[in-house]
Amino acid sequence: MREVKGFNMTQTINVVDAMCGAGKTSWAIQHINENIGQNKKLAFGDSGEPMKYIYVTPYLREVERIQEATDIDFFEPEAKGTKIKSFEALITLGRSVATTHELFKKLDLNILDAIEEKGYTLIMDEVASVLEQYDISKSDIKLLIDNGTIEIGENDKVVWLDDDYKGKFSDMKILAESDNLILQNGIAVFWTMNTRAFEAFDEVYVLTYMFDGQEQCNYYMANDIKFKKYSVKDSDGHYELIDYDPTLEPRKEMYEKLNIYLDDETNKKKSPLNSNYDSREKLTEQQRWSQLSSTWYRKHAIPKDLKQLNNNLRNYFRSVEPTENEYIFWTTISDFAPTLKNAKCKWNKNGDRASDNFVALNARATNAYGHCKSMAYVYNRFVNPIEKNFFREYDIEVDENKLAVSDLIQFLFRGCIRNGEPMNCYIPSERMRSLLKDWSEFKL
């Protein structure tokens, strides 16, 4: 087991773990508005200042929503110069800031120190990307070490030695100098969010769903960061946090509104659209269970299989559940979207919504597709084995089933089910359909 680095955070992270539509964002807006004028003691010194917030959300349009819905001035970093410099200037002035996940993960130690000094509360809408594999070969890692450009320090941290380095790994140098790079087993380099990104705040609230299955939860456990989960209670439009209780979730009611394309269980037959995309014969149980995974797409699917899957998608939206294109949203691995696109499932490399109903697998915290009546999730979610091994070195076992169903539910809630309306669902992976049913019965 790798030694876990020390974490000096005294408070506990507040994880608001509730289904989409339960009122997480509404609670956050209410919380901000109710605390206007309240003073908080600074981290250094005896004087107090009004509550200050950093609100982090995946999309710019959600930044605008928070600015409009709250009664304090939320400033958005400007693109003049660089946004990170603008962010730093706003913190220096003690302004409340609304920004995106992408900018938040770029905060350096100097900015985090300023945040701590000013006394901020962090509200993070949806979990952050806290772990990413850096694209570098084993031979390049060896070359950098042999040349004295880097060394591997305590806790496998990548330490950059060449201050004057300019070359193809300049971006890696920046990450290493922010104390954010780890070498795993000498073969894989990972960027991890610095724990100071949470330590620097007086209070932290993370708004999400099924936190236990997500990467950020594993990251917290690996770094010994304490967290407490809460549910949201809606009392006639007034929201409060209560002790976490998943049984309050209307899982059964939601599941019954999903018109899922299923196998013919009465006659023990596989429905064609759920079984004819794989040309291999006599599949083992493991092969059948892992179909439509990343490994299946990249190693086992032949052109014939992908063509059949393309036909299945078109057939589903034309014949099984006829739906106009503007009311469809669908997803798969982005690398294979150009192959699976068709007259019903549109894909535009520039993401032009006018000619595109493809939605990224990790889409969260957006209401842009709430009018869509039919969806397709053409994927079988597993954890990257290298990432799984990364956490295993901290004695953390990733719960792949919770992660998979969490991602699926997040995707489902991009559509009209978020408004309580019935929705047509094409989920060809047997495993993903099974996990969704288990979730509805509180088995996950």
Side-chain angles (χ1 to χ4, degrees):
M1 176 183 174
R2 179 185 290 140
E3 180 183 356
V4 176
K5 62 185 175 182
F7 187 78
N8 299 318
M9 191 168 186
T10 55
Q11 77 270 23
T12 299
I13 302 288
N14 304 292
V15 177
V16 185
D17 192 321
M19 284 177 63
C20 303
K24 298 188 294 292
T25 304
S26 296
W27 170 83
I29 292 169
Q30 171 190 287
H31 174 77
I32 293 168
N33 288 337
E34 287 181 347
N35 282 280
I36 292 174
Q38 296 294 318
N39 284 357
K40 176 171 284 191
K41 188 176 180 180
L42 297 178
F44 301 101
D46 295 328
S47 62
E49 285 191 358
M51 295 278 287
K52 295 182 287 294
Y53 294 91
I54 295 177
Y55 197 104
V56 183
T57 186
Y59 304 104
L60 283 172
R61 56 181 170 269
E62 293 301 310
V63 168
E64 296 170 1
R65 176 190 175 194
I66 293 303
Q67 289 173 318
E68 294 171 358
T70 52
D71 297 328
I72 65 173
D73 290 329
F74 267 106
F75 291 83
E76 181 184 350
E78 297 180 353
K80 296 177 182 178
T82 65
K83 280 198 171 185
I84 198 69
K85 287 296 183 183
S86 175
F87 188 103
E88 185 173 15
L90 290 171
I91 298 303
T92 301
L93 294 171
R95 308 298 192 207
S96 288
V97 180
T99 189
T100 62
H101 282 258
E102 191 61 29
L103 187 61
F104 182 80
K105 73 180 186 180
K106 296 177 181 177
L107 302 187
D108 61 28
L109 295 177
N110 290 332
I111 297 176
L112 293 172
D113 285 344
I115 287 171
E116 182 175 22
E117 182 177 350
K118 292 290 186 179
Y120 276 86
T121 292
L122 171 66
I123 299 180
M124 178 172 282
D125 192 357
E126 292 303 340
V127 292
S129 174
V130 293
L131 176 71
E132 294 177 5
Q133 187 177 353
Y134 184 82
D135 186 13
I136 184 172
S137 68
K138 183 179 178 180
S139 60
D140 281 335
I141 295 171
K142 184 177 184 303
L143 182 64
L144 289 172
I145 293 174
D146 291 345
N147 288 345
T149 306
I150 65 171
E151 68 177 7
I152 308 305
E154 186 179 357
N155 295 324
D156 297 335
K157 283 290 182 67
V158 176
V159 180
W160 204 273
L161 302 175
D162 185 357
D163 292 337
D164 299 323
Y165 177 87
K166 292 181 181 179
K168 70 182 218 177
F169 297 114
S170 293
D171 56 340
M172 181 179 174
K173 177 176 182 286
I174 295 171
L175 295 174
E177 289 177 340
S178 296
D179 199 30
N180 281 7
L181 281 187
I182 293 175
L183 178 66
Q184 183 199 37
N185 295 331
I187 60 172
V189 174
F190 283 94
W191 168 86
T192 62
M193 184 174 286
N194 196 300
T195 54
R196 289 278 292 140
F198 300 99
E199 179 186 10
F201 292 90
D202 289 354
E203 289 183 296
V204 177
Y205 295 91
V206 179
L207 317 180
T208 189
Y209 184 51
M210 294 194 75
F211 183 68
D212 290 354
Q214 297 178 32
E215 189 178 80
Q216 190 166 328
C217 178
N218 298 322
Y219 161 87
Y220 280 176
M221 291 190 292
N223 287 285
D224 198 26
I225 300 175
K226 295 179 176 60
F227 62 89
K228 178 177 172 59
K229 296 197 300 180
Y230 295 90
S231 295
V232 178
K233 182 180 179 181
D234 179 0
S235 301
D236 296 325
H238 186 272
Y239 301 89
E240 62 178 306
L241 301 186
I242 61 175
D243 288 342
Y244 178 66
D245 184 0
T247 63
L248 298 176
E249 298 170 7
R251 297 187 183 186
K252 183 174 182 291
E253 293 84 346
M254 173 202 156
Y255 186 78
E256 289 176 347
K257 289 182 179 180
L258 298 176
N259 177 28
I260 303 170
Y261 184 79
L262 298 172
D263 292 334
D264 185 349
E265 297 179 0
T266 302
N267 298 309
K268 303 298 181 183
K269 291 182 179 179
K270 296 285 185 183
S271 297
L273 270 64
N274 284 338
S275 61
N276 65 354
Y277 45 77
D278 194 317
S279 58
R280 290 176 294 173
E281 297 181 0
K282 297 181 179 179
L283 297 180
T284 66
E285 182 71 15
Q286 181 59 36
Q287 288 173 330
R288 184 170 58 83
W289 207 239
S290 63
Q291 289 178 99
L292 299 178
S293 65
S294 296
T295 300
W296 180 86
Y297 275 107
R298 295 191 167 99
K299 294 186 177 181
H300 301 300
I302 62 175
K304 177 183 176 182
D305 297 330
L306 297 175
K307 183 178 180 180
Q308 184 63 61
L309 195 51
N310 181 304
N311 291 337
N312 291 352
L313 280 163
R314 185 169 56 251
N315 184 29
Y316 177 79
F317 291 119
R318 273 187 173 169
S319 303
V320 179
E321 297 295 342
T323 310
E324 294 179 16
N325 291 5
E326 64 179 300
Y327 296 107
I328 294 170
F329 68 113
W330 72 288
T331 196
T332 188
I333 303 177
S334 58
D335 291 352
F336 289 85
T339 303
L340 298 185
K341 70 175 182 178
N342 55 53
K344 302 301 293 182
C345 296
K346 301 291 188 178
W347 178 84
N348 181 283
K349 65 180 180 179
N350 296 318
D352 180 6
R353 181 60 186 164
S355 56
D356 187 355
N357 52 22
F358 178 83
V359 180
L361 279 164
N362 60 353
R364 294 170 182 254
T366 175
N367 304 326
Y369 311 96
H371 65 286
C372 292
K373 303 173 182 178
S374 299
M375 60 77 71
Y377 189 92
V378 195
Y379 186 51
N380 188 2
R381 177 73 157 101
F382 287 94
V383 178
N384 182 315
I386 297 178
E387 292 184 12
K388 185 188 290 189
N389 290 335
F390 176 90
F391 286 114
R392 191 167 282 161
E393 292 213 6
Y394 293 93
D395 287 345
I396 306 297
E397 285 296 326
V398 177
D399 190 327
E400 291 195 283
N401 288 341
K402 282 187 177 180
L403 174 65
V405 78
S406 170
D407 281 1
L408 174 57
I409 290 167
Q410 286 283 355
F411 189 81
L412 288 169
F413 266 98
R414 297 315 102 213
C416 67
I417 189 68
R418 69 181 299 111
N419 303 319
E421 301 171 13
M423 190 168 73
N424 303 313
C425 303
Y426 178 43
I427 308 171
S429 165
E430 182 179 359
R431 171 177 172 263
M432 296 302 290
R433 294 195 307 275
S434 176
L435 290 176
L436 183 58
K437 190 171 191 304
D438 286 346
W439 167 84
S440 73
E441 297 171 352
F442 293 91
K443 295 178 181 177
L444 286 173

